[in-house]
Amino acid sequence: MRHGGYDQVPVVTAGHVVGVFSYRSLAQGLALMRPQDNPLDAPVDDLVEDLPFVRVTDEVSSIPGQP
């Protein structure tokens, strides 16, 4: 990610975006791991951040987290 200049990458299952992997989701996942666990052995599902999905026709004010 760093080499490509990306802060987050989509996680795709069967051609559908199911969430994103980001530095933030990695940090949150690492905070929940035991010190003896190897983060490289963690399933990606444990480090995926769910995002709200919206349609082009949705009002910005209806998007969670927006004013």
Side-chain angles (χ1 to χ4, degrees):
M1 288 175 30
R2 182 178 56 190
H3 179 72
Y6 299 105
D7 293 329
Q8 59 188 6
V9 293
V11 177
V12 179
T13 300
H16 293 72
V17 176
V18 296
V20 296
F21 176 84
S22 65
Y23 292 121
R24 179 175 62 185
S25 65
L26 174 62
Q28 290 171 340
L30 291 175
L32 299 174
M33 288 185 186
R34 300 175 307 175
Q36 66 270 24
D37 291 340
N38 182 348
L40 298 177
D41 292 335
V44 172
D45 286 346
D46 290 352
L47 303 172
V48 171
E49 184 175 349
D50 294 327
L51 296 176
F53 289 91
V54 296
R55 299 186 190 294
V56 172
T57 57
D58 291 343
E59 295 290 330
V60 172
S61 61
S62 71
I63 301 170
Q66 298 299 315

